[in-house]
Amino acid sequence: MRDRYARQSGDAPAHVRRRRFGAAVAVALILVACQGGAYPDQEITIVVPFAAGGPTDLVTRLIAEPMAAELDGEIVVQNVEGAGGTVAAGQVASAEPDGYTVLMHHIGMSTAPTLYSDLAYDPLEDFEMIGLVTEVPMTFVGSPEFEPNTMEELITYVEENLDTVTYANAGTGSASQLCGLLFERATGLDLTEVPYEGTGPAMDDLLGNQVDFMCDQTTNTTDDIQAGEVKAYGVTTPEPLDTLPDVPTTEEVGLDVQVTVWHGLYVPAETPQEIVDALNAALVAALQDEEVATELTDLGAPPVSSDRATPDAQRALLEEQIETWRPIIEDAGVTVED
Ligand code: MLT
């Protein structure tokens, strides 16, 4: 069996390393000598709206160090879980617009306005955009002991065991919740959802056969799929992935679910333009970092091109996505009332 853990340090399994990495350094300090003076002159916090060790955490920790080096500053990564990412977004929206509190968030930024009737922030009005980071495909995966081996068998099995089959997600507003909603819409089946603070801990339970299946980002599933630790039923992209050549597309297996999880950085509205520019320049530099690009590409999620790592491209995508998901979510009738 390929030593799938060669990618990262130590010989502990990926999920153990993720948990150890996340738990031990939940507020990991990436130190780069701070030379005081102009921005930054104190540590910058990047807030991750999901649990440590998961896909959004992984992407954030990958870019944090090269960004800190570019800014000649210090970046800490802080996980603020809850309500599918809306707790963290609300915290950053009301933070000081001084460039020291940054949010990493994903497609959930565009679903939350429709999912939550009383959202504490407006994704378009209460934030400045820094730039897009990556667009991550999703995969449907099953626990090692879960009976179905193909998408067709999965759909039949769920249909025949609706009351007992469990689907893991990272809460209302998460990408895994959205993918589950699209699965229900495409199959007409009503899933029994088990919410977690992130798909990092959900993957641990899936590997431990505590939950049956989920739809999650390739940044969190590639290693375990390549090693045959989990069953893979389909990838949500129009074309198969080079990194997962044996995993069919959802279209190929007859499931009308296509979604990629775009990620971007945000700061509170009214943050000075020169700080937005400095953070954007640091992001662009980090995405051009060879190690970052290789790591993300190996996980099926290459960095976006520089022309998309811009505030304008991010704002345009966010606007479009809010309108794309609104009718689908409203149709599904899953709005969270206050
Ligand atoms: C995570 O980092 O846990 C994910 O992005 C959760 C999700 O949105 O499904």
Side-chain angles (χ1 to χ4, degrees):
M1 179 164 76
R2 184 173 71 81
D3 179 10
R4 61 188 168 132
Y5 309 132
R7 174 191 307 281
Q8 304 166 358
S9 62
D11 55 8
H15 59 280
V16 173
R17 254 201 328 280
R18 276 198 297 269
R19 192 167 48 234
R20 202 182 291 151
F21 183 84
V25 293
V27 181
L29 194 60
I30 301 170
L31 280 175
V32 175
C34 179
Q35 291 158 4
Y39 176 83
D41 63 3
Q42 58 184 274
E43 70 183 18
I44 297 166
T45 299
I46 303 185
V47 176
V48 170
F50 299 103
T56 302
D57 189 62
L58 181 143
V59 171
T60 307
R61 290 176 197 275
L62 266 179
I63 64 170
E65 194 169 326
M67 280 187 72
E70 188 67 21
L71 290 162
D72 201 10
E74 188 184 321
I75 294 181
V76 295
V77 176
Q78 182 186 26
N79 301 84
V80 176
E81 302 101 335
T86 59
V87 171
Q91 257 187 29
V92 175
S94 54
E96 273 304 305
D98 57 9
Y100 294 110
T101 307
V102 179
L103 173 70
M104 168 69 85
H105 206 350
H106 60 31
I107 195 170
M109 207 58 162
S110 64
T111 57
T114 309
L115 285 166
Y116 290 85
S117 62
D118 189 26
L119 198 60
Y121 55 90
D122 178 319
L124 290 167
E125 298 302 321
D126 296 333
F127 296 93
E128 304 296 343
M129 315 285 141
I130 299 299
L132 293 169
V133 177
T134 182
E135 293 171 301
V136 190
M138 303 191 83
T139 46
F140 284 92
V141 290
S143 64
E145 292 173 12
F146 194 36
E147 204 173 301
N149 293 311
T150 66
M151 182 64 82
E152 192 182 352
E153 289 175 12
L154 172 66
I155 295 170
T156 306
Y157 188 88
V158 173
E159 197 165 8
E160 293 169 355
N161 302 278
L162 263 181
D163 299 336
T164 54
V165 169
T166 52
Y167 174 82
N169 71 32
T172 302
S174 65
S176 44
Q177 183 251 346
L178 175 63
C179 190
L181 183 157
L182 296 174
F183 178 91
E184 292 180 323
R185 184 166 170 267
T187 61
L189 301 172
D190 197 8
L191 294 173
T192 301
E193 298 173 89
V194 180
Y196 291 79
E197 296 292 11
T199 52
M203 179 58 93
D204 290 345
D205 272 8
L206 190 97
L207 286 159
N209 297 299
Q210 302 306 304
V211 66
D212 295 319
F213 82 112
M214 72 175 174
C215 176
D216 193 20
Q217 297 160 63
T218 58
T219 37
N220 199 36
T221 62
T222 296
D223 284 352
D224 295 310
I225 292 174
Q226 289 174 338
E229 298 281 351
V230 295
K231 298 185 176 183
Y233 304 114
V235 60
T236 63
T237 44
E239 301 298 327
L241 301 178
D242 299 344
T243 47
L244 297 171
D246 304 329
V247 180
T249 66
T250 47
E251 192 178 351
E252 284 168 340
V253 290
L255 182 74
D256 180 19
V257 172
Q258 289 199 349
V259 60
T260 51
V261 185
W262 50 277
H263 285 70
L265 291 176
Y266 303 80
V267 288
E270 314 296 327
T271 297
Q273 190 58 45
E274 62 270 16
I275 292 178
V276 169
D277 295 343
L279 286 166
N280 173 262
L283 170 62
V284 170
L287 296 180
Q288 289 164 350
D289 178 284
E290 206 180 313
E291 211 179 301
V292 170
T294 303
E295 182 88 23
L296 286 175
T297 303
D298 286 354
L299 294 171
V304 299
S305 53
S306 300
D307 63 324
R308 303 201 67 226
T310 66
D312 291 350
Q314 183 179 354
R315 184 171 289 280
L317 181 62
L318 178 55
E319 282 169 356
E320 175 263 312
Q321 289 273 289
I322 290 172
E323 296 316 315
T324 296
W325 299 118
R326 184 192 311 279
I328 292 172
I329 293 169
E330 286 172 347
D331 273 0
V334 288
T335 300
V336 178
E337 301 298 335
D338 56 324

